[in-house]
Amino acid sequence: MAEEASKTSTAQVDTVATDDERSVFVVEEKEEAYPEKENIPETETEVSKDKIPESGSFKEESNIVSDLPETEKKALQELKQLIQEALQKHEFSTPQNNHPPKDEKPEDATDNKEEEKPAEEEKEHVVHAAADVVVHAAADVAEATEKESAEVKETETQTEVVEEKTTVSNAGSVAEDGAKSVEAIEESVVAVSVSEEEAKVEAVVAVSVSEEEAKVEAASVSPEEVSIWGVPLLADERSDVILLKFLRARDFKVKEAFAMIKGTIRWRKEFQMEELLEEELGDDLEKAVYMHGFDKEGHPVCYNVYGEFQNKELYKKSFSDEEKRHRFLRWRIQFLEKSIRKLDFTPGGISTIVQVNDLKNSPGPAKWELRQATKQALQLLQDNYPEFVAKQVFINVPWWYLAVNRMISPFLTQRTKSKFVFAGPSKSAETLLRYIAAEQLPVKYGGLSKDGEFGISDAVTEITVRPAAKHTVEFPVSENSLLSWELRVIGWDVSYGAEFVPSSEGSYTVIIQKARKVASSEEPVLCSNYKIGEPGKVVLTIDNQTSKKKKLLYRLKVKPSSSD
């Protein structure tokens, strides 16, 4: 059991530590760690059951260049220089396997040196032979001269002169023969040397010419044009925002960030991203993953609803074979790409999203096909979509997930942990409302956002009703108007009533809604309206007799109304 938990914990580390954008339907794997609730130590169960792990608040780094530290500015400039050179050389569109191996040139150089070595040795041998000939010739001349001198000592001076001339002539002849031999050898050596030097010069000239031609050709070719998420690289300041994402994903290691960018661009071409954006993949999964509203800081919010895959028909249609899993993968990437295209990549703009992951009724580990598909998606997101999520909020988190999270938490960086928020079923709505305004939050998750008379531009008021306390809300109104309102109490189990109180003295109160207890199983949002015929006020009463505080959400709208 401990071994299984350890393996699953490692998998969870890989999933979570890869940062924000990687959480795409992967949580069901973690259930393997604790298949039996009874197997968890009692103390850990009690701690993990309802308590939400604390994490520091993540503050997004600035994407404005002037706000960056000098080291990060320098890294950005270095990365831009590498990209500029790559665009000039068309490296982004050149397949990697078209380049010759790096060790090919050194091998050729080694071979040339081995070929040149015998020639050098032969040349040296010839020179030594020539020197030997000269030495022997000089020795012969000396010996002949000494012999002739002994023979002519007693002869007449004239004869001696003639003999000396003869001897000198003979010596000169011998020396001349030796010199001719040496000269012939030297000519052959010089000829060999000249031919080798000429070959070397020709090779150098050829290389120089080819290099110059390559430079001229490169200069005549315009730089490659590459766009990513609709933003041309190095075209304007939006490109800086994108490059900073890759740098942050690689801790500002320039060469690693550059390699990641090249890999992403090549993958996008292989995946035919532009064609994928136009591909019709249906709307079967629109309830499983969808965008809805914005958080309080302006980030678009993406909802991942794991429980939708409990639908057997949808599951089979999405994951039953390899072809369907590949289609799901393309749909998921297409959805993400379309969402990213709506972001603002200008410096200071919103270029990240918030992910809300609903784990209610999420499929268990037996769903092998789903796990395979999500692993593939996870790897692609990890490699090609850096720093696109500002915060990950997990809601309706089961006890086993909280337990596993406590185990893996020590292995995560503080930066990564600060992006993650976990909430059990009883705290999900309250947690979401901390980050997302009620008018932007869907009704199913505790907000008031739905189709109807009110829209996201109609602000919602939030009030906390204390335990065993009654709270009233008053709306002053004038005559000839129609007052509409909607309200909800998170969790309900409180009494609700509404009445109209005229401003004139002695008037009677009109009961709009008789006080009654609203159960949590009823419609989460109550909508009402009242036509006003005289000045007064509408009073809503919330009576909380429970021992827990309650969150009240409401908003109203007044429209002029002509009298009958």
Side-chain angles (χ1 to χ4, degrees):
M1 183 65 205
E3 183 179 355
E4 291 179 1
S6 176
K7 290 181 180 178
T8 307
S9 299
T10 303
Q12 173 73 336
V13 171
D14 293 338
T15 299
V16 179
T18 49
D19 208 5
D20 33 287
E21 61 280 353
R22 285 67 146 172
S23 68
V24 187
F25 306 121
V26 293
V27 293
E28 71 280 355
E29 295 183 31
K30 289 69 188 180
E31 194 167 14
E32 292 179 330
Y34 295 102
E36 298 289 342
K37 181 175 180 180
E38 293 76 33
N39 292 337
I40 298 181
E42 182 178 355
T43 55
E44 185 174 18
T45 305
E46 291 176 354
V47 172
S48 303
K49 189 173 181 181
D50 293 314
K51 186 176 180 180
I52 307 303
E54 297 292 335
S55 62
S57 178
F58 173 72
K59 181 175 177 59
E60 282 191 275
E61 299 92 343
S62 174
N63 55 23
I64 300 175
V65 176
S66 60
D67 293 341
L68 302 177
E70 289 301 321
T71 54
E72 295 182 2
K73 290 180 183 178
K74 182 180 179 182
L76 178 60
Q77 290 304 315
E78 291 177 0
L79 180 58
K80 291 171 73 172
Q81 180 63 37
L82 289 177
I83 292 176
Q84 183 63 61
E85 294 173 359
L87 291 174
Q88 187 68 47
K89 297 176 183 178
H90 288 228
E91 290 183 6
F92 291 111
S93 59
T94 303
Q96 288 179 303
N97 56 5
N98 283 356
H99 294 290
K102 292 183 179 180
D103 57 350
E104 189 173 56
K105 187 174 181 180
E107 288 180 1
D108 293 343
T110 303
D111 294 340
N112 291 339
K113 288 181 180 179
E114 292 176 354
E115 292 174 0
E116 291 174 0
K117 187 175 181 180
E120 293 292 336
E121 292 178 351
E122 182 178 354
K123 180 178 178 181
E124 184 178 357
H125 177 72
V126 171
V127 172
H128 284 300
D132 290 340
V133 170
V134 174
V135 172
H136 287 302
D140 292 342
V141 171
E143 183 180 354
T145 303
E146 183 179 356
K147 183 178 180 181
E148 290 299 327
S149 298
E151 291 178 354
V152 299
K153 281 182 180 179
E154 298 179 356
T155 62
E156 297 179 351
T157 304
Q158 186 175 1
T159 304
E160 182 179 356
V161 172
V162 173
E163 291 299 329
E164 286 177 359
K165 289 182 179 179
T166 302
T167 305
V168 172
S169 177
N170 291 337
S173 177
V174 173
E176 184 179 356
D177 291 340
K180 287 182 178 179
S181 299
V182 173
E183 184 179 352
I185 293 170
E186 288 179 344
E187 287 179 356
S188 64
V189 171
V190 171
V192 171
S193 300
V194 170
S195 63
E196 290 177 352
E197 291 300 324
E198 288 177 349
K200 291 180 180 180
V201 171
E202 289 177 359
V204 172
V205 171
V207 171
S208 300
V209 171
S210 62
E211 288 179 351
E212 289 300 322
E213 290 177 349
K215 289 180 181 179
V216 172
E217 183 179 357
S220 62
V221 176
S222 59
E224 184 178 10
E225 293 183 2
V226 176
S227 294
I228 182 169
W229 301 304
V231 178
L233 285 182
L234 305 186
D236 54 45
E237 58 187 3
R238 294 178 301 163
S239 181
D240 292 344
V241 176
I242 289 178
L243 298 187
L244 283 172
K245 291 181 180 295
F246 285 92
L247 283 169
R248 288 186 172 118
R250 293 296 179 263
D251 296 324
F252 281 88
K253 296 176 182 177
V254 177
K255 291 184 179 179
E256 293 183 15
F258 178 61
M260 186 181 185
I261 290 174
K262 291 180 72 174
T264 294
I265 291 173
R266 287 194 176 114
W267 169 76
R268 294 175 68 83
K269 289 182 178 180
E270 294 171 0
F271 209 75
Q272 299 179 325
M273 194 61 67
E274 297 305 317
E275 291 79 0
L276 175 63
L277 287 171
E278 304 299 326
E279 191 172 343
E280 181 57 49
L281 296 174
D283 55 3
D284 298 329
L285 297 168
E286 64 179 0
K287 292 183 178 180
V289 184
Y290 60 90
M291 303 293 294
H292 186 96
F294 301 85
D295 76 342
K296 293 180 179 179
E297 296 180 356
H299 300 98
V301 182
C302 176
Y303 293 85
N304 300 295
V305 187
Y306 295 75
E308 289 294 324
F309 290 103
Q310 292 288 12
N311 183 316
K312 294 182 179 180
E313 183 178 349
L314 177 62
Y315 187 89
K316 183 178 180 180
K317 193 172 183 179
S318 302
F319 307 110
S320 59
D321 57 45
E322 186 62 34
E323 181 180 351
K324 290 183 174 62
R325 290 194 291 272
H326 181 69
R327 183 181 177 85
F328 163 78
L329 181 64
R330 291 183 64 80
W331 177 88
R332 189 62 181 86
I333 295 299
Q334 182 194 68
F335 175 86
L336 180 58
E337 282 286 324
K338 289 181 177 180
S339 301
I340 289 176
R341 297 299 177 101
K342 297 176 182 179
L343 297 175
D344 181 7
F345 287 106
T346 58
I350 300 296
S351 62
T352 54
I353 64 177
V354 168
Q355 292 265 14
V356 174
N357 305 282
D358 183 4
L359 306 188
K360 185 178 182 179
N361 298 324
S362 59
K367 301 292 185 180
W368 177 86
E369 299 86 356
L370 175 58
R371 295 170 60 189
Q372 288 297 108
T374 56
K375 283 182 180 179
Q376 293 177 0
L378 177 66
Q379 189 62 51
L380 289 179
L381 295 177
Q382 175 179 333
D383 294 340
N384 302 292
Y385 295 90
E387 299 293 314
F388 270 103
V389 176
K391 189 171 292 293
Q392 289 275 17
V393 183
F394 292 82
I395 60 172
N396 294 313
V397 179
W399 58 268
W400 54 263
Y401 194 96
L402 293 176
V404 172
N405 179 73
R406 291 179 62 84
M407 292 176 61
I408 67 164
S409 183
F411 299 97
L412 306 180
T413 65
Q414 184 57 42
R415 184 177 186 276
T416 297
K417 287 191 290 186
S418 66
K419 286 189 176 185
F420 286 76
V421 177
F422 300 89
S426 64
K427 299 290 185 179
S428 292
E430 179 182 338
T431 300
L432 287 175
L433 286 168
R434 289 209 308 263
Y435 303 103
I436 305 171
E439 60 267 25
Q440 300 278 353
L441 185 65
V443 169
K444 68 177 293 186
Y445 293 123
L448 292 177
S449 179
K450 62 181 179 60
D451 294 334
E453 182 178 357
F454 293 87
I456 59 175
S457 59
D458 298 310
V460 176
T461 300
E462 300 182 22
I463 295 176
T464 298
V465 182
R466 295 190 304 273
K470 182 181 294 187
H471 184 84
T472 58
V473 178
E474 298 182 356
F475 304 142
V477 291
S478 59
E479 58 182 326
N480 300 326
S481 62
L482 178 66
L483 177 66
S484 300
W485 67 91
E486 62 180 13
L487 80 159
R488 74 176 301 174
V489 176
I490 305 301
W492 282 109
D493 268 347
V494 298
S495 294
Y496 158 72
E499 59 185 14
F500 172 67
V501 180
S503 299
S504 58
E505 295 183 6
S507 297
Y508 53 89
T509 299
V510 178
I511 303 298
I512 301 174
Q513 169 64 57
K514 185 177 180 180
R516 68 180 184 89
K517 187 173 183 179
V518 181
S520 57
S521 58
E522 295 189 37
E523 186 70 21
V525 180
L526 299 181
C527 302
S528 300
N529 58 72
Y530 183 71
K531 187 176 180 180
I532 311 298
E534 59 179 313
K537 61 182 178 180
V538 171
V539 180
L540 307 181
T541 302
I542 303 298
D543 188 4
N544 179 20
Q545 295 301 318
T546 70
S547 59
K548 296 181 179 180
K549 63 181 180 181
K550 299 286 185 175
K551 184 175 288 293
L552 167 66
L553 310 174
Y554 68 88
R555 56 182 170 179
L556 60 91
K557 183 179 293 186
V558 180
K559 295 181 180 179
S561 175
S562 57
S563 57
D564 294 335

